[in-house]
Amino acid sequence: MRFGVNYTPSAGWFHSWLDFDADAVRRDLADIAGLGVDHIRVFPLWPLIQPHRGLIRPRALADVAAVVDVAAEFGLAVNIDALQGHLSSFDFLPSWVLSWHRRNLFSNPEVVGAQADYIEALTAAVADRANLLGVTLGNEVNQFSSAHHPDRHPATRDHVDAWLTELTAAARRAGAPLVTQACYDATWYDDLEPFRPEHAARHGDLTVVHSWVFNGAAQAFGGLGEGSVRHGEYLLRLAAAWHDDPGRGLWLQEVGAPTNVVAEPDVAAFTEQTLRHAADVPGLWGVTWWCSHDVSRTLLDFPELEYSLGLFTNDHEPKPAAHALSRMIQQASGSAAPASAATPAGIPSSAASAGPPVLVLDDTDADTYRSRCGPGQDFHRDWLKLAVAHGTGPAVVLQSRLDDPSRPVRSRTGDLQRDTELLASTGGNRHV
Amino acid sequence: MRFGVNYTPSAGWFHSWLDFDADAVRRDLADIAGLGVDHIRVFPLWPLIQPHRGLIRPRALADVAAVVDVAAEFGLAVNIDALQGHLSSFDFLPSWVLSWHRRNLFSNPEVVGAQADYIEALTAAVADRANLLGVTLGNEVNQFSSAHHPDRHPATRDHVDAWLTELTAAARRAGAPLVTQACYDATWYDDLEPFRPEHAARHGDLTVVHSWVFNGAAQAFGGLGEGSVRHGEYLLRLAAAWHDDPGRGLWLQEVGAPTNVVAEPDVAAFTEQTLRHAADVPGLWGVTWWCSHDVSRTLLDFPELEYSLGLFTNDHEPKPAAHALSRMIQQASGSAAPASAATPAGIPSSAASAGPPVLVLDDTDADTYRSRCGPGQDFHRDWLKLAVAHGTGPAVVLQSRLDDPSRPVRSRTGDLQRDTELLASTGGNRHV
């Protein structure tokens, strides 16, 4: 299992691309490499590399390649995120899709074609680097399609499918060794979100999950409640329910300890428990912590929690979460591969009958089931009850697949009576 | 009278700030200086210099100063426009005023305070240069307040007054030798526009006018019609009507020959006639042609006319308008100062009784008079009739001032009978 860190530059945050300084990057990556992680996730700003639809700046591409090369000095692999897009409450869109030139980010052929050009050029600029881990199409680009976005770019399910297909192909064409796409959790929790679980589970090479307990979990269960420290695990197991290939991997690409809902003294415990529970999930490819460095207080307007999400302070001091992450990495590398790693994610095979419990998600009504999965909602609560009772979170299987004779799911024997009683008091979701 | 050029970089347009290259600027300014002009107008991009509310990039300021220094090599003075803002159909706003961080550009105290910081820092970076002409707050920033803007930032008349006052003070504080603010013509033609003629005529050191015949004049009168080649003159005379100080200067800061409405073979004649008529206006401080270089065809999405507005092609060949402008400059420098230059702008004095005609604009209803001034509307048509009849455009006086005993306006003798008949067929606007 891979451990990594989302790299937030200590000087100038992502605006530092405007004043690229390889030595400043070197200083930051030395901090990160000291934790024992194997990779970083790097975020170019789309409008700086492609400020005009017809202009992709060679020097900006060279700057991204330089970060990959500095990472190599520290033995770090690098995943590049292309379309930023959205970062920590700030949206970065080029002027050629704004106001007088507003065109839909997901369905306008000129825009999507230019995004493909951008992703292809960005990938090509780093494809020959041995330490290139892969390319993610963009950070939570689905935020722009959200019903809650103030300048929403509407998209249908088909638009999203076509968009993901075209941009994934662009990254592959240019030689990305691993292509992924990253959604925020509305994909699983929001009935109105056009980026659906199927999109997350069927495009790209891994299913990517971003787990943020400020989105309801910590409010409902407390910062160290089971609903919070198992939130990453929950999202991973939920996402796996849509896998067609039971061997498909899962990437917990963002998870962090937001101090607006996790008390400062609890951050280390939150970190450790979150990582431990996530590591139980079969098929977990890796975890990438958010984030490397606190945002400087000289930068204004960030949500308060962003100033304290770093593993390091803005002036390079490691914080409790850094020590917790480092310990977990040492333990993981010292032990044999966890037993569960041999079990593929997704629908449990008959061989898993002695394994973890299985919970059925009734996805029959595609327009309404997602809100039932949200933090503190009935499906989440039932999942948690089984997780606590069994000591490990249940796998999730879709009702639509139980009903599909081509996808057999065997019932497991075990604590069926107890589980039935457990679930009767909340949503009454089926287990099998 | 000053002649200048709005500088549009030949390589990379204004995105060239991202890859600043003093030699590329040098090559462009050599073209411009060859015309005999005395100044250029330079457009930094606001989001690149102040990408974050708390971050003004020293290197970006140094790049702007470097342009001023390159201009000095060619004997060119430089006017810096701060808030871009808007350029040739593209809006450039920093992420800290967009979407999740959207705050009103004109009335939010945090935003206006940061804009003042930006203008102060930008001015301070160049204030010690002997060839600094001045600072304009921004290019047509009033577009963002327009009722037609797709992401309008509403503003009241008082907001605009406070905004102009605060930002003008910031530029003065940092030592700008000349401070101006630039509106597009909605200020005079659009009843809904919150930036009003009073704002244009009373803030800053000069009244700035941008004359674009694609905004109705050429459509109504033809590219070489009197309504087109006198459009710059008309706007100047109209703007002067609000002057409190009859000695206040006027700057025709943008005027160009857009080939969507001026036929290519007519561009040189349009240029010459436009400049000649503008030069007749008392108090004209200078004219700055739009623009130096055609936009490259490799850059997409511009309105078609932007690819041909340059005095030079994208590869540095002078075009007919360049020759016309150059000839005009030679003639102007060869002749004595025009007689009219001695006459102050604005309300004609009794000494002007033998001078040009005077037309009264009925501004009694502040909510409706502006649309009557638009190209092809009744006030413009009456003004044109008198201009053609007299060979020079009439000065404009406001009805509200005629009615004000503290602002005496003497009637002129002359062709009153003829003028009355001329005007009876259109709006019947009064002349005095």
Side-chain angles (χ1 to χ4, degrees), chain A residues 57-412:
Chain A
R57 296 175 52 233
R59 212 188 69 191
L61 296 177
D63 290 345
V64 175
V67 173
V68 178
D69 291 340
V70 171
E73 297 172 17
F74 295 96
L76 292 168
V78 177
N79 188 78
I80 305 283
D81 262 51
L83 291 165
Q84 278 71 243
H86 179 89
L87 287 165
S88 302
S89 84
F90 290 94
D91 284 344
F92 297 94
L93 291 179
S95 62
W96 51 274
V97 297
L98 291 175
S99 60
W100 303 104
H101 291 275
R102 184 178 172 95
R103 283 167 284 187
N104 190 289
L105 289 176
F106 303 106
S107 58
N108 181 287
E110 289 170 341
V111 174
V112 180
Q115 290 171 331
D117 292 343
Y118 163 63
I119 288 174
E120 187 168 355
L122 182 61
T123 305
V126 292
D128 65 344
R129 267 55 174 193
N131 64 323
L132 176 67
L133 192 58
V135 170
T136 299
L137 302 185
N139 183 50
E140 302 185 358
V141 188
N142 68 315
Q143 291 225 10
F144 290 100
S145 69
S146 158
H148 313 292
H149 195 280
D151 301 314
R152 182 183 186 202
H153 289 247
T156 65
R157 184 195 291 227
D158 287 347
H159 289 148
V160 174
D161 256 325
W163 186 82
L164 290 169
T165 301
E166 181 163 350
L167 299 194
T168 300
R172 290 207 200 288
R173 201 157 53 231
L178 186 80
V179 184
T180 48
Q181 69 105 353
C183 288
Y184 85 113
D185 58 21
T187 290
W188 292 277
Y189 296 160
D190 184 344
D191 290 325
L192 299 176
E193 172 57 41
F195 280 72
R196 301 181 63 90
E198 305 88 288
H199 296 125
R202 293 175 195 163
H203 287 272
D205 298 314
L206 299 167
T207 299
V208 168
V209 160
H210 290 187
S211 167
W212 287 107
V213 297
F214 55 63
N215 275 357
Q219 290 88 340
F221 301 100
L224 284 184
E226 291 284 331
S228 293
V229 298
R230 286 185 182 273
H231 184 257
E233 177 194 8
Y234 170 65
L235 259 180
L236 289 164
R237 296 210 186 254
L238 186 62
W242 281 268
H243 283 186
D244 288 324
D245 170 6
R248 181 176 168 102
L250 290 154
W251 183 2
L252 182 51
Q253 194 187 44
E254 282 188 22
V255 60
T259 53
N260 59 335
V261 290
V262 178
E264 195 84 39
D266 295 339
V267 163
F270 174 90
T271 303
E272 188 177 330
Q273 292 178 47
T274 292
L275 291 170
R276 247 181 236 296
H277 288 306
D280 274 351
V281 178
L284 183 66
W285 174 88
V287 178
T288 312
W289 197 258
W290 188 285
C291 61
S292 69
H293 294 82
D294 287 346
V295 173
S296 165
R297 284 278 169 194
T298 64
L299 295 180
L300 313 171
D301 300 331
F302 282 88
E304 183 61 25
L305 67 100
E306 303 282 349
Y307 295 103
S308 56
L309 272 176
L311 293 163
F312 296 88
T313 64
N314 194 252
D315 54 355
H316 305 283
E317 289 300 315
K319 295 163 61 184
H323 299 303
L325 175 62
S326 201
R327 275 196 306 274
M328 290 294 294
I329 294 170
Q330 282 171 348
Q331 288 170 19
S333 67
S335 68
S340 58
T343 312
I347 301 167
S349 70
S350 57
S353 61
V358 176
L359 190 64
V360 178
L361 172 61
D362 184 353
D363 61 331
T364 327
D365 183 348
D367 294 335
T368 60
Y369 76 81
R370 287 190 286 176
S371 55
R372 292 181 42 234
C373 297
Q377 303 308 309
D378 75 88
F379 186 80
H380 183 223
R381 288 189 182 273
D382 278 359
W383 184 93
L384 269 179
K385 282 184 181 170
L386 294 184
V388 171
H390 290 269
T392 185
V396 176
V397 64
L398 303 178
Q399 179 66 48
S400 58
R401 295 194 170 188
L402 281 182
D403 299 341
D404 179 352
S406 72
R407 300 174 185 271
V409 178
R410 302 234 187 125
S411 294
R412 57 182 285 280

Side-chain angles (χ1 to χ4, degrees), chain B residues 3 12 29 36 83 104 150 157 172-173 178 196 218-219 221 250 255 295 302 313 328-329 350 363 375-376 390 409 423:
Chain B
F3 286 96
L29 298 197
L83 291 165
N104 190 289
R157 185 194 293 226
R172 290 207 201 288
R173 201 157 55 230
L178 185 79
R196 301 181 62 89
Q219 289 88 340
F221 301 100
L250 290 155
V255 60
V295 173
F302 281 89
T313 64
M328 289 294 293
I329 295 169
S350 58
D363 61 333
H390 290 269
V409 179
L423 303 187

Side-chain angles (χ1 to χ4, degrees), chain B residues 291-345:
Chain B
C291 62
S292 69
H293 294 81
D294 287 345
V295 173
S296 165
R297 284 277 169 195
T298 64
L299 295 180
L300 312 171
D301 300 331
F302 281 89
E304 182 61 25
L305 67 100
E306 303 282 348
Y307 295 103
S308 56
L309 272 175
L311 293 162
F312 296 88
T313 64
N314 194 254
D315 53 355
H316 305 283
E317 289 301 316
K319 294 163 63 185
H323 299 303
L325 175 63
S326 200
R327 275 195 306 272
M328 289 294 293
I329 295 169
Q330 282 171 351
Q331 288 171 18
S333 67
S335 66
S340 58
T343 312

